[in-house]
Amino acid sequence: MSETVAVIPGDGIGHEVVPAALEVLDSVADVEFVHVEAGDAVAERTGDPLPAETLEAVTDADATLFGATGETSADVILPLRDAVDSFVNVRPARTYPGVDAVQPETDLVILRENTEGVYAGIENRLSADVSTLTRLVTQSASRRFAEFACEYVESNGLDGFTIAHKNNVMRVTDGLFVDTVREVAAERGVDADDAYMDAMATHLAMDPGQYDVIVCPNLAGDMLSDLAAGLVGGLGLLPSANVGAERGIFEPVHGCAPDIAGEGIANPTATILSAAMLLEFLGADAAARDVRTAVESTLADGPRTPDLGGTATTDEVAAAVVDRLPE
Ligand code: GGG
């Protein structure tokens, strides 16, 4: 394998967890890294949070490893996802032996529509008093997303998925989303259950074992995945993949955590697991498996960062994962 991977640490702890994940990636795969910048710090320096050379590196690369953004999220991660046409964000949440979890039976995947909804960026300040936000839902994007969800369920040997929505309030937009996803599921013979997203938040907190795959609009996916992170031990454990037809951007679900940035104690697990998803996307399934096994072993009896009750640094956790990779 000699693919090109664009690397964007972003801001805050992105500068700690991304180098940690690169150490692991470098140990299992022969990839060429192209290091570029985006986010608050580069915006402060140059006035542009997403320089043209970064965008070019991402669209030229086979895949991108991304860290985290802060204030400039809307100007960085949304256009980056758009640049690689990543129409779905895959966010798995599961528990690990040895890690305290609020809900130990959690083992689910959130598939988040990644291009529309309230994250489409259509906001206006109409007057000193009035601001508006347009929620965009199209049948074409919902259909493409639903086809991915059906393929995901089929290729993982699952029966179906649960659609999270609020079509009793957002009748037109979530009405179109739910009707389209249901239509595609029926065409494909995939079971499609559904639940109001607010009620689902309660079901998730109390009985997450009832869900395997949750299919949802953009904002709901962002919020429900943070909730799922809380069930399994925290945001330091949740990876994600922004998947497009040809390219992908792989990033931890967490943000730039300014409260601990610079201390070297951020949990690199989510970013290392995102790197495993990147490897899988590039077809390096065995390397991805090795990384996951090494992460699980480290979580079971290796060093831990303070968010998991330990005293280890980011680099110590990364080194332990590298040590547990096969020779
Ligand atoms: N690595 C994820 C990250 O930077 N999160 C910050 C954030 O605001 N994300 C919004 C999103 O995932 O749509």
Side-chain angles (χ1 to χ4, degrees), residues 9-11 14 17 66-74 76-78 81 89 91 112 114 119 218-219 221-222 225-226 238 240 242 250-257 271 274:
D11 290 302
V17 294
F66 181 77
T69 46
E71 297 304 312
T72 50
S73 260
V76 174
I77 192 61
L78 302 186
R81 290 173 183 157
N89 189 205
R91 296 185 157 191
R112 166 186 179 192
N114 217 23
Y119 280 14
N218 209 334
L219 174 62
D222 202 9
S225 51
D226 276 32
L238 250 66
S240 88
N242 300 286
F250 300 82
E251 55 170 331
V253 164
H254 63 70
C256 67
T271 314
S274 302

